[in-house]
Amino acid sequence: MIFRLLGPLTVTDTTGAPVPAVGGPKVRALLARLLLDAGRTVPVERLVDGLYGEEPPAGAQGALQAQVSRLRRALPPGVAVEFSPAGYRLTVGDPAGAVDVLRFEALAREGARARAAADPARAAGLLREALGLWRGPALAGVRDAPFAAGQAARLDALRLDAAEEWAAAVLAAGGDLSEVVRELTGAAREQPMRERLRGLQMRALGAAGRQAEALAVYEEVRAALAEELGADPSPELSAVHLELLRGAVRAPERTSPPLPAPLTDFVGRAREREDLASLVAAARLVTLVGPGGAGKTRLALEVGAGLPGEVRFVDLGAVAGAPGAGAVAPGGAGAEAPRTRARTGDSSGEVAEAFAAALGVRGAARLETALAGRPVLLIVDNCEHVVGETAVLVRRLLAACPGLRALTTSREALGITGESLLPLGALAPDAAEELFVRRAAAVRPGFTGHARVAELCAGLDGLPLAVELAAARLRTLSVEELADGLGARFELLSRGDRTAPERHRTLRAVVEWSWSLLEPGERELAARFSVFRGGATAEAVARVCGAGAGPLASLVEKSLVEVRDDGRYRMLETIRAFAAERLPDADPALAAHHAYYRDLAVAADPELRGAGQLEWLARLDAEDANLRAALRRGTADDGLRMVAALSPYWWLRGLRGRVAAPVAELLDRVEPTAELGEEYALCVLAAGLREGEPVDRARGFLAARTAPLRQPYTAFLWSTSIGPLEGLRLGDDPWSRALGQVGHAHLASAPATAEALFTKALAGFRALGERWGTATALEGLAAHSAEPLPLLAEALELFESLGVAEDVVDLLHRRAAVHEAAGDPTSAATDRARATDTARRAGLST
């Protein structure tokens, strides 16, 4: 969601479509005040003052709480108002990305820093982006609120400051003077005696060759100051006037870079643009690395076009002997593509000739001479197939030509000392959706979005090229057909720009280009890596694929695999689908994957009932997709054992709906036996079945069981899902004993007996360090305590730490009833509102 305060208060989704109005005037004013400090806690007193002014009504805090409740009900999903003793906080994900005021302030600060650091081109771009966020007077529509006048004045002042900084930066960088004159003339109508503003206006007019108009501005300001203030112009403004009279104000020289002009607008990548511009300013060699279709070329050109001085473009994709699309044999992981000249021969001469052609030099031997003493930035594109030859040449030229800088794009780094790398991956989800909508509107006029665009873009990994190819198919297909057809993505996205390089015309060609650059062993590892879903740890890759750190690092370096901040290795789904086509059906990695995650599930089961519960839940969260994939492999009996081991995890995380489909598939393969009757019963529960022949069969297995249950959660899960079943024997382990005490406490007729049992259970769970059981015992004990609220507060904290939304919602409603009985309706209402919000965010029915 995007919240806009620089103009009328509006809320839009990521496609720009407006979200229905949020409440009445007071609720909208409250939203605006919280948005100004989004992500930070605003004290209650400050909110009361901001909404009601110097004469707040009686019970102002209660009135504020009522407005907060109304606001919570009106907020879109993913946005929440949180309360703490310090005040209220609005959570909106990344505040600087979701609130235009905060984005404006951040860009303005960064622009001012860039100008102070003598980087006017970057400063101009940042400040132009900041000013472009304004759509009218700040806080329009809520200006009647007491807080609004002061905030609006502050923002208007910041806007003028930013406009002046932007104009100064453009004048220093040699940008579009007509735009500067137009903007400053408009601002001067509002602030005719703001001397810095008028001085910049004079400089812009003078640099544009309009000296007479510039001198007239000075006379206008001088006369206004004398008439209204009885003052003369400042020394700074007088100095600009003197420079104009001497003819010393001129436009700075700028060489227009001969870069390819884009045919479409640039979408997203604001942070990457900023990071890349900073790297290029600070380092002599920068390489954009990333998978094919990530938009490396477009980003490099976008940044290069905004830089001062000479910028030249070298396209190595056209170097003879580069691998072409279709060079990969689809006959398995080790299938060998034809070796190209770029790999087996000497392409250094062709690379150097491409540099010479881009620089307008006759003959590669003259490159050093042509670049000596020449400050120039070379954008060297598509280096991956001649990375060695390019590295040698770039290293040589950088050493010989101190004024030279290079920005290269490649699917692997050049590997030169001093090289700065900027990895480029998927677009942010909102940017990918915006890109799809914009490109789709070009082929289907009037298209403004669709409910499944986010799903489609996520399925395409947010790769710009894949998103654009999909958008182009809207000429003949619907969004639903595109989203449903992602399983055959390579056939679906087999038509692209006829004028594009062959490696970028189709989705398959993009991946084939990268695949053709791999060595046979690397291809085998890449194909085996495709068995993973959602990534894997280095240990899992070694166990499942039989590969050490070296080959895996090679795939990372060549942008076939990426390393996340958490240390996990992941393959983009598009690359994974291509690699999976090349994995033989009998490859040992398939069985190894099942065995590894089966063993992980079994090892995790007892840990979920101890002090390491949170750590193991997080580990299983990371491997959730792999665990579900492993469930579909291996024997039916192995699958039953996996389901039994994972059932507590699915319960605690509320994932039973997500796993119902693969578990139901397993049930279809199972021939149930009494030996695995308990595991079969857990499988029936995980599949979401509540009646019918499988349930009756599972009930029979459990009823006939005389030995203690192998899975301590079985009795609990069966009773909460189907109903009580007499005769089930829990094990003699400490967790099972404590759970049994909870069960007996619920059945006890004497309150003292129930309290004693809950107390024993609580001690048992605490000794184990297990949070869910501890919280459950605390909740039961609270019903028999004269001071239930501290017990319920601790239980709530434990449930929240586990992320068990259903238990959190139930407990909040129960605590609300306790508050109500104690004569505290305000706290009761707060808990019920919080329960409703928690249920909504978790997708639970209320």
Side-chain angles (χ1 to χ4, degrees):
M1 294 293 162
I2 305 298
F3 295 86
R4 305 182 188 278
L5 299 172
L6 300 177
L9 172 59
T10 57
V11 185
T12 63
D13 62 20
T14 53
T15 69
V19 172
V22 178
K26 272 286 188 283
V27 173
R28 291 171 64 80
L30 173 61
L31 173 61
R33 181 60 191 85
L34 289 171
L35 284 170
L36 289 169
D37 285 293
R40 298 189 293 266
T41 299
V42 183
V44 170
E45 295 77 13
R46 192 177 301 168
L47 287 174
V48 169
D49 290 344
L51 290 180
Y52 301 105
E54 296 179 355
E55 297 181 5
Q61 292 196 7
L64 172 63
Q65 192 172 55
Q67 299 297 345
V68 169
S69 296
R70 295 187 184 99
L71 177 58
R72 282 173 169 155
R73 289 194 295 269
L75 286 174
V79 183
V81 179
E82 297 177 351
F83 175 75
S84 71
Y88 289 95
R89 181 169 73 104
L90 186 73
T91 60
V92 292
D94 174 19
V99 183
D100 62 354
V101 164
L102 304 183
R103 178 69 178 156
F104 164 77
E105 291 176 332
L107 288 168
R109 286 193 300 270
E110 189 63 22
R113 283 197 291 265
R115 205 172 82 79
D119 191 354
R122 179 166 174 262
L126 290 166
L127 291 162
R128 176 74 276 175
E129 185 178 352
L131 293 167
L133 295 171
W134 285 74
R135 299 166 297 111
L139 302 175
V142 296
R143 285 214 170 188
D144 290 337
F147 77 88
Q151 289 288 345
R154 178 183 71 85
L155 292 170
D156 288 341
L158 289 176
R159 182 185 188 183
L160 272 175
D161 291 343
E164 290 174 347
E165 287 291 309
W166 166 75
V170 174
L171 286 169
D176 185 354
L177 293 174
S178 63
E179 184 184 17
V180 175
V181 169
R182 183 171 61 252
E183 292 288 337
L184 293 181
T185 300
R189 295 191 190 101
E190 301 174 13
Q191 299 284 338
M193 290 190 293
R194 187 173 170 111
E195 292 191 68
R196 187 186 183 214
L197 174 69
R198 302 310 294 271
L200 288 165
Q201 183 187 15
M202 291 163 61
R203 285 191 181 280
L205 287 166
R210 298 159 63 178
Q211 187 177 28
E213 293 175 64
L215 293 171
V217 168
Y218 178 79
E219 291 301 323
E220 176 188 338
V221 177
R222 185 185 63 77
L225 288 170
E227 179 178 348
E228 296 191 29
L229 302 177
D232 293 324
S234 66
E236 292 80 6
L237 193 66
S238 298
V240 177
H241 180 239
L242 185 60
E243 288 182 49
L244 285 165
L245 292 174
R246 292 174 175 172
V249 177
R250 302 184 182 89
E253 295 183 3
R254 177 174 176 172
T255 303
S256 299
L259 300 177
L263 299 178
T264 55
D265 56 341
F266 189 81
V267 177
R269 302 286 196 203
R271 180 180 299 174
E272 290 90 341
R273 270 190 292 179
E274 183 178 328
D275 291 346
L276 184 57
S278 298
L279 282 174
V280 170
R284 293 186 64 205
L285 174 60
V286 179
T287 298
L288 266 176
V289 291
K296 300 183 293 295
T297 303
R298 184 65 189 273
L299 178 60
L301 290 172
E302 189 74 16
V303 170
L307 297 176
E310 185 180 5
V311 183
R312 297 288 180 132
F313 182 71
V314 184
D315 184 6
L316 297 182
V319 169
V328 181
E336 183 72 22
R339 295 288 89 190
T340 65
R341 183 177 176 184
R343 285 293 184 184
T344 60
D346 182 7
S347 298
S348 58
E350 296 172 70
V351 172
E353 288 296 339
F355 274 63
L359 289 164
V361 177
R362 296 184 63 182
R366 303 181 181 181
L367 279 172
E368 284 93 334
T369 302
L371 290 169
R374 181 176 173 182
V376 59
L377 171 68
L378 293 182
I379 298 178
V380 188
D381 195 32
N382 296 309
C383 301
E384 55 270 356
H385 60 294
V386 284
V387 65
E389 297 86 341
T390 304
V392 170
L393 178 60
V394 169
R395 177 70 182 84
R396 191 183 89 211
L397 293 177
L398 288 171
C401 311
L404 175 65
R405 292 176 296 148
L407 167 57
T408 67
T409 75
S410 179
R411 302 186 193 189
E412 68 176 295
L414 300 190
I416 301 174
T417 300
E419 178 183 25
S420 294
L421 300 179
L422 180 62
L424 194 65
L427 282 170
D430 57 343
E433 293 168 39
E434 181 182 356
L435 177 64
F436 181 89
V437 170
R438 290 197 192 184
R439 299 297 183 260
V443 300
R444 184 183 286 184
F447 182 83
T448 59
H450 188 278
R452 297 188 68 185
V453 167
E455 174 193 348
L456 175 59
C457 293
L460 294 171
D461 304 302
L463 284 177
L465 179 62
V467 170
E468 290 184 323
L469 288 171
R473 293 306 308 274
L474 278 192
R475 285 190 293 263
T476 55
L477 298 174
S478 67
V479 175
E480 292 94 336
E481 288 171 321
L482 287 169
D484 291 339
L486 285 179
R489 65 187 64 212
F490 297 115
E491 290 70 29
L492 189 70
L493 305 182
S494 59
R495 302 175 187 174
D497 185 348
R498 292 188 181 94
T499 66
E502 191 174 355
R503 64 185 179 278
H504 278 172
R505 287 182 195 169
T506 69
L507 191 61
R508 182 178 294 279
V510 171
V511 187
E512 281 182 337
W513 170 266
S514 295
W515 194 267
S516 68
L517 301 177
L518 300 179
E519 301 298 334
E522 294 170 338
R523 290 185 202 162
E524 180 177 70
L525 175 56
R528 288 181 170 175
F529 194 97
S530 70
V531 301
F532 293 107
R533 298 291 191 276
T537 62
E539 179 206 0
V541 176
R543 290 269 301 276
V544 172
C545 302
L552 182 58
S554 180
L555 291 184
V556 173
E557 290 168 0
K558 296 182 178 181
S559 301
L560 269 293
V561 171
E562 60 185 17
V563 186
R564 295 296 181 87
D565 291 341
D566 59 3
R568 289 177 64 82
Y569 294 83
R570 179 180 177 271
M571 190 177 266
L572 293 179
E573 181 58 26
T574 296
I575 298 174
R576 196 203 65 77
F578 183 93
E581 293 179 351
R582 282 145 182 80
L583 184 70
D585 292 340
D587 194 279
L590 294 164
H593 178 271
H594 169 79
Y596 180 84
Y597 288 102
R598 177 201 62 208
D599 294 346
L600 176 66
V602 171
D605 178 29
E607 301 293 343
L608 295 181
R609 298 186 292 279
Q613 187 177 48
L614 289 182
E615 176 188 344
W616 277 88
L617 282 172
R619 185 172 178 183
L620 293 178
D621 286 342
E623 302 293 3
D624 177 51
N626 275 315
L627 291 164
R628 284 183 280 123
L631 196 59
R632 290 186 162 99
R633 298 174 179 142
T635 67
D637 286 356
D638 277 344
L640 287 176
R641 293 185 179 95
M642 276 194 74
V643 169
L646 291 170
S647 287
Y649 165 65
W650 293 335
W651 163 261
L652 289 171
R653 284 298 198 233
L655 297 177
R656 287 182 294 173
R658 183 187 298 179
V659 301
V663 173
E665 293 174 15
L666 175 63
L667 274 178
D668 290 340
R669 295 193 286 130
V670 166
E671 291 293 337
T673 62
E675 181 184 358
L676 293 176
E678 180 183 352
E679 288 78 2
Y680 178 80
L682 288 166
C683 197
V684 167
L685 295 177
L689 302 180
R690 297 297 176 263
E691 58 184 16
E693 189 272 336
V695 174
D696 294 338
R697 183 181 295 174
R699 184 184 289 110
F701 284 137
L702 292 177
R705 184 176 184 85
T706 57
L709 295 169
R710 287 186 291 270
Q711 171 52 266
Y713 268 90
T714 300
F716 169 75
L717 293 175
W718 186 273
S719 64
T720 56
S721 302
I722 306 295
L725 186 61
E726 298 296 330
L728 292 181
R729 291 176 56 197
L730 296 175
D732 195 37
D733 60 283
W735 192 91
S736 295
R737 286 199 301 272
L739 183 65
Q741 289 160 354
V742 168
H744 291 310
H746 281 298
L747 297 174
S749 57
T753 302
E755 183 178 2
L757 287 168
F758 278 127
T759 301
K760 286 183 180 180
L762 178 60
F765 285 129
R766 283 198 195 279
L768 290 170
E770 198 275 302
R771 292 166 176 253
W772 181 84
T774 301
T776 301
L778 284 166
E779 184 180 7
L781 189 59
H784 301 278
S785 172
E787 296 291 338
L789 289 176
L791 300 175
L792 293 175
E794 184 182 355
L796 183 62
E797 182 181 354
L798 291 169
F799 280 146
E800 288 180 327
S801 73
L802 290 167
V804 283
E806 292 184 38
D807 288 319
V808 169
V809 170
D810 290 344
L811 191 54
L812 283 169
H813 281 300
R814 179 168 179 182
R815 193 170 71 172
V818 173
H819 282 308
E820 212 159 49
D824 186 359
T826 300
S827 295
T830 298
D831 273 355
R832 289 199 176 97
R834 188 173 162 193
T836 300
D837 184 58
T838 301
R840 176 178 58 80
R841 285 186 280 115
L844 302 174
S845 57
T846 56

